[in-house]
Amino acid sequence: MKVTVILFLTITLISQGYSGSLSCKRRCGESYDPMNDCHCDSECQQNKDCCKDYKKQCGRRGTNSLCIHFPSQALTNVSDEEIKAVSETLYKLDHNRATASELVIDSQTLISSSQTGSKVDHSPSPLFKQVSSTLLAKPTFKALLNLLDNYNRMTGQAEDVPALEEQEQDAFLQATMVDTDVGKELYKFLNSKGVYSSQSEFVQDLKMMWFGLYSRANGQQDSSAFEHTFSGEIKNGKVSGFHNWVQFYLKEKEGLLNYYSHSFNGPWTSFPDVLGMQFEWDGYFKEVGSAFIGSSPEFDLAMYSLCYITRPGQRCYVSLGGQSLGIQTYTWDNSSYGDGKKFIGSAYPATP
Ligand SMILES: *[C@@H]1O[C@H](CO)[C@@H](O)[C@H](O)[C@H]1NC(C)=O
Ligand SMILES: *[C@@H]1O[C@H](CO)[C@@H](O)[C@H](O)[C@H]1NC(C)=O
């Protein structure tokens, strides 16, 4: 009986959910992740870094884990093994990723995860030592570069999307999801699972999921999954999102980004690798910005979309060259598109 009541309560709580990163909805009992703006782990009260609604969402007992990793719309007919298998295939098909001669990074100082908030520049040199112009001239990179300058990074200020920018979105989706083996494979997989019945439906849904505007602040249409994840935003005086290495490289080259250190370095010895980085972006600090390094744009988009579609709002485990990696996504629950579908709130490689 008690169990039934608790279960009912849980489902009620989370089904009303708004899981913006300033709320604990659907995050109670999650493990501590310094990437988040506020926290819902069992130690947040002790550490005084809980989200404002922690007590309301996570209950008086504080340490319970009422709504831990509750699947919002997870595809139950896709197994963890299938996610691992398809991610391995996507990894092998990423022909556009950087080779060792096309990209040279200088990761310099590794700090411990307890030091990530200290805002100390431990690295005198830039992170990106050399990036080949041939790599950035590949069609999917060019399509990404065209998009990255479209955004106002401040939340609370509306984005406007002129026709040219919408064409750039379409061109990016065409280049990455229709014209590459990575995109074709992702579609094939999702189609086999009955998620999409045609490639145009797939592309259209990705367009809404990634580029559909929503409001993070002031009721303004100031944000989208793409802006947050690939381009980065400023929210409450901090860098929010920013999980793409090409954007990191561009801002560093412009002299607008100062690399401080990294607190995570993935086990890969060729690209893509994963780093969790500390940096300052034109006046604002990022405590842990994790990203694939040296991946192609289609690879980032495919990995995040795969995890968001199959394990929305959860930790999704992929396998890349035999190594396991968690990818965390968040659903944006304050507004929706189509038939009540949710936008992506965020997506990034989870750093332990
Ligand atoms: C898999 O699950 C989704 C969502 O529940 C459903 O739409 C789809 O038809 C299922 N696919 C198969 C092959 O059973
Ligand atoms: C949620 O959406 C409404 C209307 O779109 C907006 O007024 C409100 O500010 C939003 N809330 C948050 C927390 O973004």
Side-chain angles (χ1 to χ4, degrees):
M1 182 62 190
K2 252 187 205 153
V3 171
T4 320
V5 171
I6 290 172
L7 195 69
F8 173 74
L9 215 99
T10 309
I11 290 166
T12 312
L13 275 171
I14 48 202
S15 61
Q16 291 165 353
Y18 158 65
S19 70
S21 53
L22 289 178
S23 168
C24 281
K25 266 186 191 162
R26 240 184 260 135
R27 295 173 50 199
C28 301
E30 70 179 13
S31 50
Y32 177 78
D33 181 344
M35 306 267 301
N36 293 327
D37 291 326
C38 61
H39 305 276
C40 313
D41 59 284
S42 55
E43 267 125 61
C44 74
Q45 287 184 307
Q46 228 168 301
N47 299 335
K48 301 195 190 341
D49 57 8
C50 298
C51 300
K52 283 201 181 113
D53 63 354
Y54 176 73
K55 279 192 184 156
K56 184 177 152 218
Q57 298 302 334
C58 305
R60 236 172 285 136
R61 279 166 300 163
T63 52
N64 68 28
S65 46
L66 263 185
C67 23
I68 185 165
H69 300 322
F70 189 86
S72 61
Q73 318 136 292
L75 290 182
T76 49
N77 54 17
V78 177
S79 68
D80 292 350
E81 287 65 36
E82 286 174 305
I83 293 175
K84 286 194 158 52
V86 72
S87 56
E88 276 296 356
T89 307
L90 295 170
Y91 180 78
K92 288 194 185 83
L93 291 174
D94 187 15
H95 314 303
N96 287 331
R97 66 171 161 229
T99 61
S101 64
E102 285 171 325
L103 175 60
V104 181
I105 63 167
D106 182 8
S107 57
Q108 300 161 81
T109 308
L110 174 70
I111 62 167
S112 73
S113 54
S114 62
Q115 292 176 294
T116 56
S118 62
K119 303 191 183 176
V120 180
D121 183 2
H122 293 285
S123 304
S125 302
L127 174 63
F128 289 96
K129 205 166 175 177
Q130 209 180 299
V131 182
S132 121
S133 52
T134 331
L135 178 68
L136 298 183
K138 289 184 172 185
T140 59
F141 282 91
K142 264 168 74 180
L144 175 67
L145 295 175
N146 286 341
L147 283 174
L148 284 174
D149 62 6
N150 289 350
Y151 298 96
N152 173 347
R153 65 179 187 158
M154 304 309 289
T155 57
Q157 297 180 15
E159 292 296 334
D160 79 317
V161 185
L164 176 66
E165 292 186 6
E166 199 183 333
Q167 285 165 25
E168 291 173 351
Q169 297 170 3
D170 292 331
F172 176 71
L173 290 165
Q174 173 75 32
T176 55
M177 293 292 108
V178 180
D179 296 345
T180 68
D181 287 347
V182 167
K184 285 175 192 151
E185 183 66 25
L186 178 64
Y187 170 68
K188 201 176 91 186
F189 176 72
L190 295 171
N191 172 260
S192 77
K193 291 294 170 186
V195 182
Y196 302 114
S197 54
S198 70
Q199 201 177 36
S200 61
E201 191 195 337
F202 163 67
V203 171
Q204 184 53 31
D205 195 40
L206 256 58
K207 184 175 177 183
M208 290 311 300
M209 188 185 293
W210 282 101
F211 294 101
L213 293 179
Y214 54 80
S215 171
R216 283 188 202 264
N218 292 349
Q220 300 294 315
Q221 297 289 88
D222 58 353
S223 189
S224 67
F226 180 88
E227 179 185 6
H228 180 86
T229 306
F230 285 78
S231 182
E233 300 180 289
I234 303 300
K235 197 180 68 183
N236 301 325
K238 288 195 286 192
V239 176
S240 174
F242 204 123
H243 303 288
N244 181 259
W245 75 267
V246 177
Q247 172 75 337
F248 194 113
Y249 163 69
L250 291 178
K251 295 299 149 190
E252 195 174 57
K253 202 173 84 171
E254 286 171 48
L256 294 175
L257 189 151
N258 184 358
Y259 170 68
Y260 281 9
S261 53
H262 62 290
S263 53
F264 176 79
N265 189 349
W268 297 274
T269 52
S270 59
F271 298 122
D273 199 350
V274 174
L275 285 182
M277 297 157 291
Q278 291 69 51
F279 58 92
E280 186 242 288
W281 177 25
D282 206 13
Y284 298 92
F285 180 62
K286 181 75 180 181
E287 189 175 340
V288 186
S290 60
F292 289 111
I293 305 290
S295 53
S296 69
E298 59 269 33
F299 181 79
D300 287 23
L301 191 69
M303 282 296 147
Y304 296 151
S305 301
L306 169 69
C307 281
Y308 182 74
I309 291 164
T310 59
R311 298 288 184 269
Q314 298 178 47
R315 192 64 59 93
C316 157
Y317 290 93
V318 299
S319 179
L320 308 175
Q323 306 279 357
S324 171
L325 174 74
I327 290 180
Q328 180 69 44
T329 64
Y330 287 100
T331 57
W332 180 262
D333 296 350
N334 193 34
S335 52
S336 60
Y337 67 93
D339 189 13
K341 290 187 139 197
K342 289 171 182 175
F343 299 107
I344 302 173
S346 189
Y348 50 82
T351 57

